[in-house]
Amino acid sequence: MHSVLPSSTTGFDERMPLTEEEATHVLECIDSAWSRACFFLPHGALQALVDGTSWLVLSALRCFDNFMNIVGVVFVAIAIVLISAIVYAWYHVLAPYLFATCSTTGFVAHAIVAHWLLVNIAFNYIMVVRTSPGAVVAPQVNSSSHPDYLSIYQSIAGVP
């Protein structure tokens, strides 16, 4: 049996891999413990518990998705109202004040910068709202360009 305690000479945790016999023994112990735990449950109770739990999780995720769709629309409306309030305040409060107190060149420069910022904010917000969040797509790899990657991906995915 290999020691899993730190070596006193190096100070590092030198873990040795399990031998085949030790790995088989560990798997047999896990299988035995699982069988003993399932012995006390009525037939099919464990599967029903797992199915019920997954149904509960999926239902919670579906409710959360619907909630986020509704909240997303509310947040878009709030953003539009806030941006509109800023534009209204600029035209009805700040522009008359600047026109009365600044030179014509200062007022025009301020108006150009303010409108440039407004156009950028509006454009970026519209693009954020219109852009899809996307989805995870399985990589399309051919075996001739990446043979090692393809074999690893197939072994993980269980594809022959």
Side-chain angles (χ1 to χ4, degrees), residues 50-62:
V50 170
D51 289 345
T53 304
S54 61
W55 174 84
L56 180 67
V57 169
L58 290 175
S59 297
L61 288 175
R62 197 172 300 118

Side-chain angles (χ1 to χ4, degrees), residues 4-61:
V4 293
L5 297 175
S7 171
S8 59
T9 58
T10 62
F12 292 107
D13 188 11
E14 297 176 358
R15 295 178 187 257
M16 301 298 291
L18 294 175
T19 63
E20 186 175 340
E21 295 85 25
E22 291 170 334
T24 304
H25 178 69
V26 168
L27 290 175
E28 287 172 356
C29 289
I30 292 172
D31 186 45
S32 173
W34 181 254
S35 297
R36 278 183 267 144
C38 293
F39 177 77
F40 296 104
L41 294 173
H43 181 68
L46 188 63
Q47 186 63 39
L49 179 66
V50 170
D51 289 345
T53 304
S54 61
W55 174 84
L56 180 67
V57 169
L58 290 175
S59 297
L61 288 175

Side-chain angles (χ1 to χ4, degrees), residues 15 60 76 88 90 107 136 143 159:
R15 295 178 187 257
V76 168
Y88 178 83
W90 193 88
F107 176 75
V136 178
S143 58
V159 177

